[in-house]
Structure formats: C-alpha cells, structure tokens
Amino acid sequence: MKDDNKNNFLVNDIYNRLLAAYGPQHWWPAESPFEVMVGAVLTQSTAWTNIEKAITNLKKAHALSPDAIRNMPFSELAELIKPSGYYNVKARKLKSLIYWLDENYSSDIDRMEKADTQKLREALLAVYGIGPETADSILLYALGKPLFVIDAYTKRIFSRIGLTSEENNYNEYQRLFMANLATDPIVFNEYHALIVKHAKEACNKKPVCGRCCLSQICSHSGKI
Ligand code: SF4
C-alpha cells in the first residue's frame, strides 16, 4: 500500500477501533461554549480534576461570564482559579482572552462563531497565552469549527504506532488527521476525546499493550 493510502486507512481504522473499544465520550464536559473557552485556557499543563474545581469556584462566585471576569480584580480571579495551577499566569491569559472577545465580538460568542475559521484561528493565536492546542480546542469544542486538536497524548500514541515521528510539529500532526478524515467537526470532536481516553486507559507512560485495542496495528506493541 502506498504511504498516503496506508495513512488514510490507518487514521480511519484507529478511529473505528477506539470508538468500538470506548464508545462516545460526549466531549467537551461543559455547560456552555463560554465554559469551554475558560476550560481550554485553564487546562494547560493541568489534570482535568483541578480544572473542575476552578470552574466550580467561578460558578459559585457567579463569575463564569465575560462581564464578570473582565470586571473582577485580577487577584480575585487568580484566587478563584488557584486549583488549576499557574494561577497568576492563567488569570492573565483569561483576562487577555476576555478583552479580545469584548473588543472584537462585544463578548458575543454567537457573533464569533460566524467569523471565518482560519481568520479566527490566526486572531486567537495572537492573543496572549493562546497556543495552537488552546485555539483549536476553543474553535472545535466551543464553536463547532472543523479543526483537529493535537496534544501530547496524540503525539505519544501516533508516534508509538509508527504513523508519525514524535519530532513532528503541531501542524504536521494536524495535517495527518485533517488530510485523512472527512471534514466533520463531530468526528474531530470524538476522535480527540477518544485519544485522551486511550492515553489514560492503555497508552500511558508505561503502556499496557496487552489490553490495547490497537496492539494489532502498533509497531511498539509490547516493546516499551
Ligand atoms: S500497543 Fe501499546 S504502545 Fe501501542 S498504542 Fe497500544 S498501548 Fe500504546
């Protein structure tokens, strides 16, 4: 099989195997697009359980809205999101995102959703503290835009399988998925969530290849 055809087959085959093994993941775990945006900033370098605590603090303080975060003193915001770690930096990132949202879309996420996807992505990447993973998480999970999210789990699993090199950059990884899947935000949503699930269930730092649904196609199976 030619490399392009092989990649196309494997990217789709892996999705089907993960979906059969774990079922739908119902991502993103949030009650509103704005909560997704906040979660996408807070989740950088932190376990999700800590983000849940920070989001709960914001909800209890009636502070999970663009207006509340914009008007809140910096120190108060940092205190509320403390469980998410790096809370001073993350408070600054959140404020920057909220100012950007206000300046460009009057804090109206429905208006933001109508903007061109690539222009929106470029604009988000120019906001302090927003890298490609956070930008694409916001675009896909808050706005339903068709962009595949790449994270450290994706790199770990797909380089172990042998489809990619761990040295490849974010854009190269993203191209692998977006060139080989139908442009469908529902599939992109589910696939990334399944990758995270698989990294936690089987392909963690010490992989449990014996109970892995991808072991038949993985070039590292049993070798780590
Ligand atoms: S076989 Fe092992 S290394 Fe390969 S994807 Fe599964 S858990 Fe990861």
Side-chain angles (χ1 to χ4, degrees), residues 122-142:
E122 279 165 32
L124 275 172
L125 288 172
V127 176
Y128 169 76
I130 306 289
E133 184 183 338
T134 307
D136 291 339
S137 296
I138 290 171
L139 292 165
L140 176 64
Y141 288 106

Side-chain angles (χ1 to χ4, degrees), residues 4 12 51 55 85 92 105 122 127 161 194 198 208 217:
D4 285 354
N12 285 280
I51 308 314
I55 298 267
R92 197 174 149 210
Y105 298 102
E122 279 165 32
V127 176
I161 288 171
L194 286 164
H198 186 61
V208 194
I217 53 167

